[in-house]
Amino acid sequence: MRPTLNAPAWRRQIHGATHLMPDTGQPTSLIAQRCPANRSATLRALLHAPELQFLMEAHSGLSAKVVEEAGFPGIWASGLSMSAMLGLRDSNEASWTQVLDMLEYMADATSLPILVDGDTGYGNFNNVRRLVRKLGERGIAGVCLEDKLFPKTNSFVGEMQPLADVGEFCGRIRAGKDAQTTDEFCLVARTEALISGRSMDEALSRAEAYHAAGADAILIHSKKPTAAEIVAFTERWQRRCPVVIVPTMYHATPTEVFRRAGVSVVIWANHLVRSSLAAMRQTACQLARDQSLREVEGRVASVADIFRLTGNDELEAASKRYLPEVAPTRGVVLAASRGADLGALTADLPKCMVDVRGQPLLHQLVGTLRGAGVDEVTVVRGYRKEAVAMPGIRTVDNDAYAATGEAASLACAADRLGGESVIVYGDVLFRRYILDAMMAAPGDIVIAVDALGGRPGARPANARDLVRADRPYAPDDLDEAPATLLGFGGADGVCGEWIGLLRATARGSALLREELDAMRADGTLDAADMPALLGRVMARCPVTVHYVTGHWLDVDTLLDLANARNFS
Ligand code: SPV
Ligand code: MG
């Protein structure tokens, strides 16, 4: 009689491998887990299950996940498929350690038991010992060894392939069983007698010898188009130990025939690599023909599907558990004004969208902000607002832009001033290191001030942006103490020009918001510019002056624009 197990027990073992983790609810496969004994026990239970079982071929981490998702209880790690995945022949061209690496990905990707096609064992008994030990270490449930010679040839290539001497192959089996690292590890002995044109008697006597040498199951292989040989074998084998078959060539045989014959496990040996080859070829040919993705998208798996299969959700959840919480740095770009001095260039566009070296000024500015770690950028639009667009930015509108100033524009984005914030005029370009340094500068509110601005001979600066500070820029100081803002404008004590860039901590952002509210309440908001706002805030909180020397510009005039086009 065919060996059977108490059904609930084997079912428990088979399904135990695909449990959800009780604490996280994540499939166990998402957690790199190697549990050799459990997986081998599951494979052993499959071999001895009272009902016919099926192993599905896989050849990579991804295909292993597909097998698990389809509901198979175990994986056949096919030698043919793994070789093909590497673009190699099924002739032991891939080394056994390369195969081991592929198996490791598969074992990590799923919780299913893997029966690996170990070919001939890569040599003699000694190679088999080492192979079996290493398979056990990597959580592989079992190995199938075939009675051929190294280097092997695929069973469907040529005729009359030489077979191993029975005694020598039995030695490989015994060595493998002696080397297994857990009691449950399964060694399946595969006889190629029928494939190699030997008699049924020889197939049976080989199977008998392999079983006696310790094989846990016999794989009887046939390349005939019907299952006649297999059925003849099983009739005479009389279920002495589990029988495994690979019906690749007798594919039209109804599965019921295998059930009636008392087969334990059917292996669908190469059908994922073959189906993916057909799909890849179709997609590649279509794209080569069409030079467009139109017909292809929708017929291929989505990127989201890959994210799901590879467990992106789990990584996101883990990131929340393990990474310190970092509030995003938000940016507000004040870009509501037209820039009338640019004349016809801003007839249909606000100046933030004027082209500077092939892309709108705003795109360059936002690129610099993002490079400095400002993740969420809000642009305050006004003049020709429909022209202000860029992927990934938010926009808010100051529809009263013509009658109001910068403070009113900033107030439109007040709800974006939370946590670390960066505020910048929409017509400014600056080198990124300036913002990087401001991010590290002390103080709840930091403004970048060009120490060269406002000096005799310097480019004319707007008087309202001229900065008075408690300390001028000291070019010779190695370790510069921070300067503090005393006020804007005036002729005496000018230390530089504000470049229109400000960084605020969470506290600084809150103070700016409060001050905007206060200005709205006292009726001064609409007419106020940014220096007016800062002039009020500095009464409550020191504003740090971070000196720079050049490496920025703003675009007020056509000359500025010409300079911007040379800015790098
Ligand atoms: C394999 O999948 O590599 C096998 C099965 O050994 S077969 O190709 O049918 O021989
Ligand atoms: Mg093979």
Side-chain angles (χ1 to χ4, degrees), residues 219-237:
L219 191 157
I220 178 70
H221 207 9
S222 166
K223 59 178 180 178
K224 291 282 189 317
T226 75
E229 280 184 342
I230 297 297
V231 172
F233 178 92
T234 54
E235 269 171 9
R236 291 178 61 187
W237 181 248

Side-chain angles (χ1 to χ4, degrees), residues 31-102:
I31 290 128
Q33 53 130 35
R34 304 232 176 84
C35 210
N38 282 352
R39 294 205 218 199
S40 293
T42 307
L43 179 60
R44 186 165 287 272
L46 285 173
L47 288 168
H48 290 275
E51 290 143 24
L52 181 62
Q53 299 293 323
F54 301 89
L55 297 185
M56 181 76 233
E57 168 257 327
H59 47 267
S60 62
L62 192 69
S63 58
K65 283 176 186 289
V66 169
V67 172
E68 183 164 44
E69 198 176 48
F72 281 93
I75 289 172
W76 167 248
S78 155
L80 170 68
S81 303
M82 289 189 288
S83 307
M85 274 304 290
L86 299 174
L88 298 178
R89 288 165 285 221
D90 186 17
S91 303
N92 291 132
E93 289 182 340
S95 74
W96 72 271
T97 53
Q98 286 169 331
V99 170
L100 210 57
D101 286 344
M102 296 176 87

